[in-house]
């Protein structure tokens, strides 16, 4: 299955160039591990924050007018409700429903009747509408707060199964989805937290992270894996996204004037 995923990845090149201003990428497969770096190689947080404001890549841009990508689909909510009703009627068994709900971001907790809902936030990008939706979910159906995960997602505990439809619908209003956030699926694609503003990155990796996200989101292959599959993008050799420990990691580079990636595989995350 991993080989089949790798075989599908070149499609991200064509998917990526559909976005204006994104150059065609070359995927340079390199089986050599990422070289070690000095402990002081990554700039201090103070230096990184200072470098971000102002930054030539965002200076003069009206951020309120920026539209972030949507990943939700109302059919996901309808399908989940239908599967839940089929389970409650005994038309599908508990094991079958469990495998299904996990790939939809719904984990059963040890406390009877409660669920953990994980919201997929590809490459960690959120806007005001998304944050308000997450706050609504926390206040109305969870415990008033959520947890930020290592994959840049947000998850909520103690959600009643009868409220999952309402949670998914509220998230959809902001373009957020739980699809593929759990289970044996292609998980949320992460990226360096300084993507788009990093002064040492040769180019912005987020259009490519979005292209791979869309390639596998709702793809039948991505939900029939024997194990979860994790992908990350780093904007420079500092590898802030820890690409080297992922199943597939992409590290931005420029070779002979052409944008591309060093690709590492087989991480044990």
């Amino acid at each position: 299955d991993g080989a089949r995923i790798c075989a599908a990845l070149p499609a991200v090149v064509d998917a990526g160039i559909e976005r204006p201003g994104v150059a065609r990428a070359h995927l340079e497969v390199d089986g050599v591990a990422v070289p070690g770096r000095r402990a002081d190689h990554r700039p201090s947080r103070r230096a990184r924050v200072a470098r971000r404001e102002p930054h030539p890549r965002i200076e003069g841009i009206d951020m309120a007018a920026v539209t972030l990508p949507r990943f939700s689909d109302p059919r996901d909510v309808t399908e989940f409700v239908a599967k839940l009703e089929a389970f409650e009627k005994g038309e599908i068994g508990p094991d079958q429903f469990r495998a299904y709900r996990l790939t939809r971001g719904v984990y059963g907790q040890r406390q009877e009747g409660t669920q953990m809902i994980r919201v997929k936030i590809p490459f960690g990008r959120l806007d005001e509408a998304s944050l308000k939706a997450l706050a609504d979910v926390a206040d109305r159906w969870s415990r008033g707060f959520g947890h930020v995960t290592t994959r840049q997602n947000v998850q909520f505990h103690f959600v009643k199964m009868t409220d999952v439809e309402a949670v998914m619908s509220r998230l959809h209003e902001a373009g957020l989805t739980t699809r593929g956030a759990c289970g044996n699926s292609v998980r949320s694609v992460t990226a360096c937290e300084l993507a788009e503003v990093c002064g040492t990155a040769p180019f912005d990796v987020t259009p490519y992270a979005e292209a791979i996200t869309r390639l596998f989101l709702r793809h039948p292959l991505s939900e029939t894996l024997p194990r979860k599959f994790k992908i990350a993008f780093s904007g420079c050799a500092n590898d802030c996204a820890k690409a080297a420990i992922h199943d597939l990691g992409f590290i931005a580079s420029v070779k002979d004037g052409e944008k591309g990636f060093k690709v590492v595989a087989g991480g044990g995350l």
Side-chain angles (χ1 to χ4, degrees):
D1 289 304
R4 289 157 62 199
I5 285 181
C6 292
L9 282 175
V12 74
V13 176
D14 294 324
I17 61 172
E18 291 175 2
R19 291 175 58 89
V22 179
R24 184 175 182 86
H26 68 272
L27 295 178
E28 180 183 343
V29 178
D30 186 351
V32 180
V34 175
R37 51 189 169 93
R38 301 187 309 275
D40 61 348
H41 191 195
R42 183 176 176 178
S44 68
R45 177 157 185 81
R46 178 179 299 178
R48 286 185 281 133
V49 171
R51 189 172 58 206
R52 292 178 68 176
E53 188 178 10
H55 192 282
R57 291 181 182 172
I58 61 173
E59 191 173 10
I61 296 177
D62 181 7
M63 297 307 295
V66 174
T67 302
L68 297 188
R70 295 179 60 90
F71 297 99
S72 63
D73 187 323
R75 291 173 293 184
D76 290 344
V77 183
T78 303
E79 182 187 74
F80 186 88
V81 173
K83 286 286 187 180
L84 177 58
E85 291 177 349
F87 170 65
E88 293 174 338
K89 293 176 182 178
E91 297 173 358
I92 60 175
D95 290 340
Q96 184 179 355
F97 181 63
R98 177 181 179 275
Y100 168 80
R101 64 173 169 76
L102 285 175
T103 59
R104 269 59 180 180
V106 182
Y107 263 107
Q109 295 184 205
R110 293 181 178 178
Q111 296 80 5
E112 185 176 356
T114 61
Q115 313 295 317
M116 183 276 283
I117 308 295
R118 182 176 294 154
V119 185
K120 199 172 189 179
I121 305 173
F123 45 96
R125 288 183 69 177
L126 289 171
D127 58 8
E128 181 181 356
S130 302
L131 289 170
K132 286 183 177 179
L134 294 173
D136 277 350
V137 171
D139 289 339
R140 298 172 65 182
W141 299 290
S142 186
R143 297 181 292 170
F145 61 90
H147 295 269
V148 178
T149 75
T150 56
R151 300 210 63 73
Q152 301 171 325
N153 298 322
V154 176
Q155 58 191 39
F156 302 97
H157 290 81
F158 293 93
V159 178
K160 297 178 181 179
M161 182 63 83
T162 53
D163 290 333
V164 172
E165 178 184 2
V167 169
M168 289 184 170
S169 296
R170 179 64 184 95
L171 294 171
H172 166 65
E173 292 175 5
L176 298 172
T177 184
T178 63
R179 184 87 178 243
C182 307
N184 295 328
S185 60
V186 177
R187 297 292 185 88
S188 188
V189 177
T190 57
C192 172
E193 71 272 18
L194 295 178
E196 300 177 287
V197 297
C198 178
T200 60
F203 58 90
D204 179 14
V205 299
T206 55
Y208 302 92
E210 180 184 345
I212 280 195
T213 296
R214 296 196 184 282
L215 176 67
F216 289 117
L217 185 62
R218 302 181 184 89
H219 192 293
L221 169 64
S222 69
E223 297 174 0
T224 58
L225 303 177
R227 193 75 175 95
K228 57 188 175 182
F229 198 90
K230 298 181 177 181
I231 303 172
F233 280 80
S234 280
C236 67
N238 288 343
D239 193 16
C240 295
K242 304 296 186 293
I245 64 173
H246 283 71
D247 295 293
L248 276 179
F250 296 84
I251 303 172
S253 66
V254 174
K255 183 177 181 179
D256 299 327
E258 185 178 10
K259 296 179 181 178
F261 296 91
K262 177 177 182 179
V263 181
V264 291
L269 181 64

